Amino acid sequence: MVAILERINELLFAAVLIVSFSLLAYIVLQNWRSDIVRSLGVLLAGVIIAYSGDLLLARAQRPATIEFLGRAQWLGIVLVPAGYIHFANALLAFGSANTIAQRWRRSVYAAYIGSLAIFLLVVLGTNLVIYTGSPSGPVARFNAGPLFWFYVLFFGLAIASALIAILIVRRSALTPAQRRRLSYLGATFAAPGIGVFPFLLIASPNVIPLTLILALQAVASLIVIVMLTVMTYSVAFQGMLIPERLIKQDFVRWWLYGPFVGITTILFIQAVPVIAQYLGLPPETLITFGVMVMTVLMPIFVTQAKPYLDALIYRQDHSEIDYLRNLPRNMFTRADLRALLENSLVAICSALHVKTGFVVAPGEDGFSVKAVWGSRRDVRRFVTDHPVMSILPQLESMPYDAAASLDSGSFVVIDDFCLFPLRSPDGIFLGAIGLEATLDQLRRNGGMSADMRRMVTGLAHQIELALTTVQMQRQIFDALRELAPEMQSLQQLSSRLEQATPLTLSNLDDDIVLHPDFPQLVKDALTQLWGGPKLAESPLLGLRSVRRILAEQGGSPTRALQAVLRQAIANLRPDEQIDPSAQEWLLYNLLEGRFLRRQTVRDVAHRLAMSESDFYRKQRIAIEEVARQIVLMEEHEYENSSGRR
């Protein structure tokens, strides 16, 4: 029985270690600027060190190794009470008791200094805190020294301070969601303490049965795993301005790919010797096959489990999220459009026995040739002699009859090409199909027969449907881009209200990035970037990023705002490896020419080869991108200020 409990404890020690390390790595990557998260990181680090020592001590045999590991793991044991005091101070600073937190700040430094002093007494080999006892079975390693009870008092005060801070902050919480998270925290905050406190220095194996001690250790490890997970979820995202549904989704996904996969792998590796002995095979052989199976099955299992977990997380929003998840598969993208145009053009040219053809369709930069079949040289020569924009009016002016079939009157003949206009169901001009053939050649090739006209008309209608669909999608995406600042502002406002305290609520109205007209304020400031009443009186002067660099700009709010606007534009500069004709470069060059170089609309539009109407449409998108960059800069400032608290 003792051997089985020992093996179970080893597995659970490894599980706690994996969960703690995964949670620590996650919060470090996600929200390390928050002081609450940094203190939580100290607690998790203490658990990792302590359980690493337990895991190694379970297999150690040499007395010198046992002595070293038993003393070294006290780094984690003494870190936890200091982390609790740090955690309490960070919670009070976040909540309404900021004055109390300032008074307690010195206690945080004192706690870390005291922890270091206790650790030094332990590792220097003194008998003041612990001393080597007589081993009695697999758990008794050390006995308590005279100063151990000072550590117990220190530990109790740290736990009490964390609990008091949680109660104070929960009492001042304004929203049900914030109170719910703090309730979770109050129920689970003791997990690091349960995991690292050296109970065996108090409860001797000579008094309590060994099997009971090992069983209690196993139960404690299971409790620690659950409580650490809930505790981390309760506070790890404090101050992050993202919706709770995204927090839950990211957290669950990380738990699946981190702790779950790690624990499953450890369980399998530990089970290999038992299975190998039962089957009479070498353990190395089973490990080879097992790793092969695990690397294939675990990703499949996680992928299959994610939709069910998402359904539990989103619940009321499940239908919308499920539709958005499948949207990329249902979209008709530009790559799909190009493939359809090329395939349809090949079918039309092959049916009409035409060697060369092309399709003209609209894009972000106006009408252009989107697909070519046959001789590209002939198409290039035709487009050079007859620019696309010059022949489109003639095609667009042709009479339209949705019920009419293809005939000789449906084409416009220019040089050696016959052009057939493409229109949407409501008659809007969409582009054209060009075929290198005369009308007589089409008649001789059978292109004017009834069956052939039906087939070509059907293929042309498919192209028209695809172009119409892509245009509708582009309009939807443009609308979503226009709504993006408002949606982002609403998400940030919802997150801040959810995490609101009396201190933060009083400053909420001053956050200009949450205002619905924030993009318009950015536009007004950009139009007078070089000076003017709209810049000197702009509400953007209250931005955190502006206040931060105020001293660097000689105390001038106007110059500070100008610097922030220039930085926001500079942040939009694409990488040099990106194609110069890409949308990113177009927007950046528009902003640079119009606002940084103070060029006229006509000059910038001419340099970028676009019409003035297209310029204004692109300028609106570019200004929204500048506003989005300023929002990101403000989020960075907010997170830094939250971290300093």
Side-chain angles (χ1 to χ4, degrees), residues 471-510:
Q471 282 196 353
M472 291 176 63
Q473 285 185 171
R474 186 179 296 119
Q475 293 171 0
I476 293 172
F477 291 156
D478 288 343
L480 289 175
R481 289 190 187 98
E482 293 178 5
L483 288 174
E486 287 78 7
M487 291 189 294
Q488 191 173 26
S489 297
L490 289 174
Q491 286 185 349
Q492 292 171 357
L493 178 60
S494 177
S495 298
R496 290 190 180 179
L497 288 174
E498 183 179 299
Q499 304 174 20
T501 64
L503 283 177
T504 59
L505 192 62
S506 60
N507 299 325
L508 191 62
D509 186 56
D510 299 330

Side-chain angles (χ1 to χ4, degrees), residues 46-116:
V47 173
I48 292 170
I49 296 171
Y51 270 89
S52 297
D54 287 337
L55 192 62
L56 294 173
L57 280 169
R59 292 302 182 107
Q61 299 295 330
R62 296 171 53 188
T65 304
I66 293 174
E67 179 83 15
F68 170 76
L69 292 174
R71 292 181 178 275
Q73 75 172 154
W74 265 78
L75 175 60
I77 295 173
V78 299
L79 268 181
V80 168
Y84 270 126
I85 294 176
H86 186 183
F87 187 73
N89 182 265
L91 275 177
L92 292 173
F94 170 78
S96 60
N98 197 40
T99 305
I100 301 176
Q102 290 176 355
R103 291 201 301 267
W104 279 24
R105 194 65 185 175
R106 292 181 180 178
S107 66
V108 177
Y109 302 114
Y112 281 115
I113 293 173
S115 297
L116 179 62

Side-chain angles (χ1 to χ4, degrees), residues 33 241-242 488 492 496 513 518 543-545 564 568 571-572 624-640:
R33 294 187 182 92
L241 302 181
I242 57 177
Q488 191 173 26
Q492 292 171 357
R496 290 190 180 179
V513 299
F518 178 66
L543 291 170
R544 292 187 184 88
S545 49
V564 168
N571 292 344
L572 292 173
E624 289 171 356
E625 291 297 324
V626 175
R628 189 173 292 109
Q629 286 297 320
I630 296 177
V631 170
L632 294 176
M633 294 164 68
E634 288 298 286
E635 286 182 10
H636 181 71
E637 295 295 331
Y638 176 79
E639 291 172 358
N640 283 344

Side-chain angles (χ1 to χ4, degrees), residues 140 208 563 567 596:
I208 302 176
Q567 182 60 50
L596 298 184

Side-chain angles (χ1 to χ4, degrees), residues 46 133 166 417 510 515 526 533 589 619:
I166 293 171
F417 279 82
D510 299 330
H515 291 194
L526 285 173
N589 291 330
Q619 178 180 261

Side-chain angles (χ1 to χ4, degrees), residues 416-472:
D416 297 332
F417 279 82
C418 291
L419 287 88
F420 173 73
L422 301 171
R423 298 182 185 272
S424 65
D426 52 357
I428 298 176
F429 181 71
L430 298 175
I433 299 175
L435 304 173
E436 190 179 22
T438 64
L439 292 177
D440 291 338
Q441 288 175 328
L442 291 178
R443 291 192 186 97
R444 287 198 303 269
N445 293 337
M448 294 297 122
S449 66
D451 292 339
M452 195 61 67
R453 287 201 305 269
R454 236 183 344 263
M455 188 194 73
V456 174
T457 302
L459 291 171
H461 285 336
Q462 291 298 319
I463 294 176
E464 292 170 341
L465 177 61
L467 293 174
T468 303
T469 301
V470 169
Q471 282 196 353
M472 291 176 63

Side-chain angles (χ1 to χ4, degrees), residues 196-209:
V196 307
F197 188 81
F199 292 101
L200 292 180
L201 294 182
I202 300 174
S204 172
N206 298 324
V207 179
I208 302 176

